[in-house]
Amino acid sequence: MQEMLVNLLVPIITGIVYFVMAIEVIRVSRIRKFMFGEIGYQKLFAAFVMFGIYFITRPLQNIIGPHPWPMIINSARQFFIMGIIAPSIFVGILHWVPGKSGAPKSSVVAAYGIGILMGIMFALINSIAVDGSKIIATVGNIHLYDATWFSGDSKIQLIMVHLICQLVSPVGLILLAAAFVRHRRHNYMLGHIYTKMKTKWRYLETGLIILPGSFLLSGFFAMFGRYYTYLWCIYFVGAIIAGFFVLYSIKLAPREKPADLI
């Protein structure tokens, strides 16, 4: 029952939560565009939808079939978050840099280049480290499978490369985005007019820290323990909490009596 909950129900709930939050972004964007602008809200909507897809497809890793399917689905999902989602978040944050051109093209190329490279390395490590699959639960005549990782002599080396790739992306890129938000918050010049803007930035920064922080915590336990499936509940829960912080940041008015709510 525990395996069913972790592998099927929790990721589906997380994905649905992100889809609902994406809908809420659309609603809020109709009345308030001061914080991000129209393009900024489009990027936020896309980020929530992509995260929803990433989380809700997690059960496919278990229900499609035995090896190599769990490895293939895991590699595809991780490439998606490492090579597409995390760089998109970083580029979306850089879009707020003052200037007509928005985010520098060199930063865009570097972010996606690094993310895609880390995603490819992750998939290659998976192809080396995964040597089969195991049945983790049975529902009627349906078996739930999961890949068996790092069962050979090179376990520590493979885990290190595995986690370093994820440390660069998505963790590193999202933390860089959080650092940029922090810089903007501390250097905001209109705080005496838009009295809640720094608070908005603070909630956004917090959400951008909680998400990679949950990845780091899961990786820490995996590194110094074993690759238990239930460890990944940590980042499902962390993702929901982070999403609510970001959504609250979006919904919070930029000042005490906002005219855009009239």
Side-chain angles (χ1 to χ4, degrees), residues 12-232:
I12 289 174
I13 291 174
T14 307
I16 291 173
V17 167
Y18 267 80
F19 287 138
V20 171
M21 289 192 291
I23 295 172
E24 184 65 11
V25 169
I26 294 178
R27 190 191 70 81
V28 173
S29 68
R30 293 171 181 168
I31 60 173
R32 183 178 299 124
K33 296 182 179 179
F34 181 82
M35 183 179 179
F36 299 104
E38 184 174 355
I39 296 178
Y41 274 109
Q42 291 174 357
K43 290 181 180 296
L44 282 169
F45 171 77
F48 278 122
V49 170
M50 286 190 292
F51 268 120
I53 294 171
Y54 171 74
F55 289 119
I56 209 167
T57 54
R58 173 61 174 78
L60 294 178
Q61 185 172 317
N62 307 116
I63 63 177
I64 288 185
H67 184 73
W69 284 111
M71 178 194 69
I72 292 173
I73 299 299
N74 177 259
S75 296
R77 290 179 63 255
Q78 289 305 114
F79 180 86
F80 185 46
I81 192 172
M82 297 169 78
I84 305 298
I85 299 178
S88 296
I89 292 173
F90 180 71
V91 170
I93 297 295
L94 286 185
H95 179 76
W96 306 338
V97 175
K100 296 181 180 179
S101 60
K105 290 185 179 180
S106 58
S107 299
V108 175
V109 173
Y112 281 101
I114 291 172
I116 290 172
L117 177 61
M118 292 301 103
I120 292 173
M121 290 180 62
F122 183 96
L124 290 176
I125 291 296
N126 254 8
S127 67
I128 298 172
V130 177
D131 54 9
S133 60
K134 59 183 178 182
I135 297 175
I136 58 174
T138 300
V139 183
N141 295 324
I142 300 175
H143 298 301
L144 300 185
Y145 297 90
D146 204 2
T148 54
W149 277 277
F150 311 118
S151 60
D153 296 333
S154 57
K155 175 182 177 181
I156 297 300
Q157 293 87 341
L158 291 174
I159 290 178
M160 285 297 296
V161 177
H162 216 245
L163 296 180
I164 287 172
C165 289
Q166 295 173 86
L167 184 63
V168 175
S169 181
V171 171
L173 288 178
I174 297 177
L175 286 179
L176 280 177
F180 182 81
V181 173
R182 184 178 183 85
H183 172 77
R184 184 181 177 94
R185 175 166 65 86
H186 282 289
N187 292 276
Y188 188 66
M189 304 300 294
L190 297 176
H192 61 292
I193 299 175
Y194 299 101
T195 53
K196 290 189 177 181
M197 188 58 75
K198 288 189 176 183
T199 303
K200 290 170 70 70
W201 296 127
R202 187 180 297 112
Y203 279 109
L204 178 61
E205 177 190 343
T206 301
L208 290 172
I209 291 174
I210 289 175
L211 181 60
S214 65
F215 291 160
L216 285 173
L217 190 59
S218 300
F220 176 83
F221 285 123
M223 180 65 185
F224 294 99
R226 293 179 59 185
Y227 264 67
Y228 292 118
T229 302
Y230 66 79
L231 285 178
W232 308 119

Side-chain angles (χ1 to χ4, degrees), residues 234-249:
I234 295 174
Y235 79 72
F236 289 131
V237 174
I240 292 175
I241 295 173
F244 279 121
F245 269 96
V246 174
L247 186 61
Y248 185 75
S249 170

